[in-house]
Every structure is written in C-alpha cells, then in structure tokens.
Amino acid sequence: MRAAYLGLLITAVLSIWGEGQPALWVIAIDAGHGGDDTGGIGGDTLMEKDITLQIAHLIALEASSLPNIKIILTRSDDRYLSPAARIARARGAHFFISLHLDFSYDPWMRGIGAVVPIHSPSSARALAEIILRRIVAAMKGPAQETKAAPLWLRRLGIPAVQLNLGFITNPQEARRLGQLAYLHRLAQAILEGIREFVVSLPT
C-alpha cells in the first residue's frame, strides 16, 4: 500500500517538474494575517498574526543550514499582504505553505489540521499529511483530517497547503502557543515534514 501511494505521489510531482528534481527546493512559507488583520485572538491577548510570523521565522532559521532547501517568507514583519501580493512574493517556489491557527466559540475544540485547495494535485495532500504526521509525532497532540476547500491558494499554480496549527481559543493550546520552546518544536516538525517529502522524490 505504501509503495503504491509513493508511486502515485512521484507521478504527480514529476508531472509538475518533469523528470528528476531540482538541486535546490524553494519553499514559500506564508505567515497568515498581519497588520490590521490580526486573525484569531485568544488566551492572554495572543494574536494569530504574531504566532504565525514567529513560526515562519523559526522555520527559516532552522532551514538556513540545509544545502538543498531554501525558505522564502511572504512576509517578514507585521504587515498586511493581499493574496495577490503573497502570490507575487512566492514566485519561483516549488511549494507554498500558509500558516494559520484555528478559532472556535467552543473553547474545547482542539487539534492541528491542514486544508488544501479543491482540485489540488495529489502532491499537495501528500505534503500536508506528511507534515501533519511529523507534527503529531513531535507534539503528541491530536490531528484533524486533511480537508479540501475553495482557498485562494489555488491561484498559485504550485502545490499549496494551509496548516492550522492549533486552536487559539482552546486554553491549553493557547498556553502552548505562547511559549517560544513550543513554537520552536512546531517549526522543526514542519521542516522535518518538508524534508521527508522532498527526499522521497527521485533524483
């Protein structure tokens, strides 16, 4: 089963880039929200825009010593960017990962999940599920099923994933999201998922 799945994954990715893989994988990391768009607010006035930006910077820092992966950030500071601007800043990337948090009026809703655009290539879902598996293994938390939705990410033209990295409205998850050590582990798990995905592809 795993071999068949990997075969389908390789076929899907090679249909995008042709035979072989690039010497340098360029991954766009998109910190959701920014500026006047705070995203969700929870805990002790935690803001989604701040947490996603911290995680994006930590991923870039962790990847800085890797020879075959380059991280580009759609935003590196607290500013709002339109979807069109985020797409423009991701030009040249092979994959796009948008970082978000979940919000619910039910304070007990929890878990980490992923969303891919409707009609995405199978490589997008495969990337999402590999990253989720890495996160769950590292953080020992629950995961939600990967979903498909009509996201603006479909306009990118490359495999794109939205990661929802916990509920900012859940007291326990909000407390963790306010800790730098937790965000560091989360960033490491995301990067490990990216690495696992790209090294599984044929050279």
Side-chain angles (χ1 to χ4, degrees):
M1 179 67 74
R2 184 176 178 83
Y5 173 79
L6 182 57
L8 289 173
L9 169 60
I10 290 170
T11 300
V13 173
L14 293 184
S15 69
I16 298 172
W17 292 294
E19 294 184 1
Q21 62 170 270
L24 180 67
W25 290 96
V26 181
I27 316 297
I29 300 294
D30 174 53
H33 306 284
D36 292 336
D37 178 10
T38 63
I41 298 177
D44 295 327
T45 66
L46 286 176
M47 293 187 183
E48 181 178 358
K49 67 171 185 175
D50 296 332
I51 295 170
T52 60
L53 184 60
Q54 287 185 72
I55 297 170
H57 277 296
L58 288 168
I59 293 171
L61 180 63
E62 286 291 317
S64 61
S65 61
L66 300 179
N68 67 330
I69 291 178
K70 177 183 177 181
I71 300 295
I72 57 176
L73 303 181
T74 58
R75 71 177 180 97
S76 57
D77 54 19
D78 184 17
R79 69 177 69 187
Y80 172 76
L81 294 175
S82 67
R86 295 173 194 264
I87 291 169
R89 292 182 178 216
R91 189 171 292 117
H94 297 104
F95 301 109
F96 187 98
I97 298 174
S98 189
L99 308 177
H100 288 265
L101 301 176
D102 264 319
F103 180 96
S104 175
Y105 290 106
D106 178 355
W108 304 115
M109 285 290 291
R110 65 192 186 110
I112 292 171
V115 187
V116 297
I118 293 173
H119 306 310
S120 290
S122 57
S123 52
R125 184 175 288 270
L127 174 63
E129 292 179 353
I130 287 173
I131 292 174
L132 283 181
R133 187 169 66 245
R134 283 285 187 167
I135 293 173
V136 170
M139 316 310 286
K140 312 300 183 186
Q144 300 178 340
E145 183 179 355
T146 300
K147 301 174 183 177
L151 304 175
W152 63 263
L153 302 182
R154 70 186 185 280
R155 294 158 47 192
L156 283 153
I158 56 175
V161 173
Q162 176 178 307
L163 295 178
N164 296 329
L165 300 170
F167 280 80
I168 198 169
T169 45
N170 177 286
Q172 183 180 26
E173 291 192 348
R175 185 168 58 253
R176 292 174 178 172
L177 290 164
Q179 299 171 357
L180 182 59
Y182 181 85
L183 299 185
H184 194 187
R185 287 166 51 212
L186 201 51
Q188 288 176 322
I190 293 168
L191 185 57
E192 283 301 312
I194 293 170
R195 292 180 67 191
E196 179 182 342
F197 180 73
V198 300
V199 300
S200 71
L201 302 176
T203 56

